[in-house]
Amino acid sequence: QVQLVASGGGLAQAGGSLKLSCAASGISFRLYHMGWYRQAPGKQRELVATITSGGSTNYADSVKGRSTISRDNTKNTVYLQMDSLKPEDTAVYFCYAGRDSIPPLHYWGQGTQVTVSS
């Protein structure tokens, strides 16, 4: 079975930092592109950051310059370092794993809550 277990969420003050982790099992981790998505109350789920199997990264404009996505293939783990947090970052953050296979494969974690106070 595939599991994506997210951790590291919690409460932070504006201007603070958090580091989210997502530990994957049941997949050939190094072959998957990974990502973080978030969903705030009353809003659609949105892309935060992605990292390909080769290490190329992409960020939403809203977090660019404040967040860093990374992966450790020896630990089957993807990270999201978030600095200079803003109240607008408050959301449930979901870990994602995907592969452009036939058929395409998509897996989602359970989410971890990030709350940023002003």
Side-chain angles (χ1 to χ4, degrees):
Q1 68 279 27
V2 176
Q3 284 191 295
L4 301 176
V5 181
S7 62
L11 273 63
Q13 293 187 337
S17 297
L18 286 172
K19 188 172 186 177
L20 309 183
S21 300
C22 174
S25 61
I27 62 172
S28 298
F29 182 82
R30 64 181 180 85
L31 301 179
Y32 281 72
H33 56 269
M34 305 295 297
W36 289 95
Y37 292 71
R38 67 187 182 187
Q39 188 165 25
K43 300 183 67 176
Q44 290 188 238
R45 186 176 297 186
E46 65 176 354
L47 172 73
V48 179
T50 60
I51 183 166
T52 69
S53 60
S56 298
T57 59
N58 184 56
Y59 299 92
D61 288 341
S62 58
V63 304
K64 195 170 297 181
R66 302 187 295 119
S67 298
T68 303
I69 188 171
S70 61
R71 65 191 295 159
D72 186 342
N73 288 345
T74 69
K75 297 180 178 179
N76 287 3
T77 300
V78 63
Y79 306 94
L80 182 67
Q81 175 70 44
M82 298 188 293
D83 301 315
S84 301
L85 285 165
K86 303 176 180 180
E88 308 93 88
D89 295 319
T90 296
V92 178
Y93 284 69
F94 297 92
C95 181
Y96 165 83
R99 189 179 178 193
D100 296 327
S101 53
I102 301 174
L105 299 176
H106 310 278
Y107 301 105
W108 292 92
Q110 86 288 358
T112 184
Q113 176 72 48
V114 170
T115 302
V116 183
S117 65
S118 58

